[in-house]
């Protein structure tokens, strides 16, 4: 399952209300996102010897989330963007390559 490092200013808020239960106990996880909100509540319990739990949940405004994550990825890759003179170009700041 893919792992995502969400930025601190992300459009999604995760509220973790899960507990670790003793080895051998039954797992029970609930994932809930209210309609029209980007707050995801995770609650329940997972035993300490469990290999993990994976789930998917939709977000309210996927285009805005994608744009924010893409902008953060460009920034992390050291692309210079939002320059008034750049137009549609993205200039790589640490190499000679340019995307035009």
């Amino acid at each position: 399952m893919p792992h995502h490092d969400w930025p601190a200013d992300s459009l999604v808020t995760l509220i973790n209300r899960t507990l670790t239960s003793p080895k051998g106990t039954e797992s029970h996880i609930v994932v809930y996102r209210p309609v029209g909100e980007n707050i995801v509540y995770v609650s329940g319990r997972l035993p300490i010897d469990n290999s993990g739990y994976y789930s998917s949940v939709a977000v309210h405004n996927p285009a805005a989330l994608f744009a924010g994550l893409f902008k953060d990825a460009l920034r992390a890759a050291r692309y210079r963007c939002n320059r008034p003179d750049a137009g549609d170009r993205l200039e790589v700041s640490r190499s000679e390559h340019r995307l035009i």
Side-chain angles (χ1 to χ4, degrees), residues 1-65:
M1 191 68 168
H3 170 73
H4 300 284
D5 292 320
W6 302 107
D9 61 347
S10 173
L11 295 175
V12 177
T13 302
L14 179 68
I15 306 296
N16 182 1
R17 297 180 177 162
T18 58
L19 300 171
T20 303
S21 58
K23 186 176 182 177
T25 58
E26 185 179 340
S27 62
H28 177 73
I29 298 291
V30 176
V31 179
Y32 171 70
R33 183 191 61 86
V35 175
E37 294 183 21
N38 276 334
I39 300 173
V40 179
Y41 298 91
V42 183
S43 60
R45 64 188 176 279
L46 217 68
I48 198 152
D49 61 339
N50 193 287
S51 61
Y53 178 83
Y54 299 96
S55 182
S56 298
V57 64
V59 293
H60 172 61
N61 190 347
L65 178 62

